[in-house]
Amino acid sequence: NRGTAHYNMDEFDAAFQDCNRAIELDPQFASAYHGRGLALDHLGDLSGAMRDFDRAIELDPNFAIAYLSRGAGHHRQHDLDAAIKDYDRAIALNPRLADAYLLRASANTSRGESASARVVADLRTYLELNPAAVTREQIEQWAVSLEQQLTNP
């Protein structure tokens, strides 16, 4: 849709307006709420974004990317338990959603689990699903370092 196109071109005001229009035309359009939430987030309104992510999930409880987006919002609000719960749900709905593994690893690290097998597994899964990641080398180094901590406490 046009809102997504504007969003992908970093035209967040236009994305917001187009998603608003889509919601006016179809108040049950979960993707429009998600898109508007993304635009709001980039426009500096995280609480508005979170309301839209909640609404998108309410309308479509199987909308994996909406759980990912809401989880990222919780993460930024330092509600790590809620973030991890949303990342878990996103992964359950779409096990190929690479960013959910990376963000879950980050949230678990922020919770103090940096040297856990779970974080290493999430980083490895992220790399497996996203082999062309720009950050592949950094994540590989992070995973190796964590594995070393696990084997040599």
Side-chain angles (χ1 to χ4, degrees), residues 46-100:
L46 181 56
S47 63
M50 295 296 281
R51 282 190 301 275
D52 278 351
F53 299 148
D54 287 341
R55 182 68 175 138
I57 290 166
E58 179 183 318
L59 292 169
D60 182 358
N62 296 315
F63 195 172
I65 196 76
Y67 284 98
L68 177 69
S69 298
R70 188 175 73 177
H74 286 307
H75 198 152
R76 289 182 34 228
Q77 293 172 326
H78 307 287
D79 186 349
L80 300 176
D81 291 336
I84 291 166
K85 182 178 176 185
D86 277 347
Y87 298 147
D88 288 345
R89 182 71 177 138
I91 290 166
L93 291 169
N94 181 356
R96 302 207 46 81
L97 191 55
D99 287 347

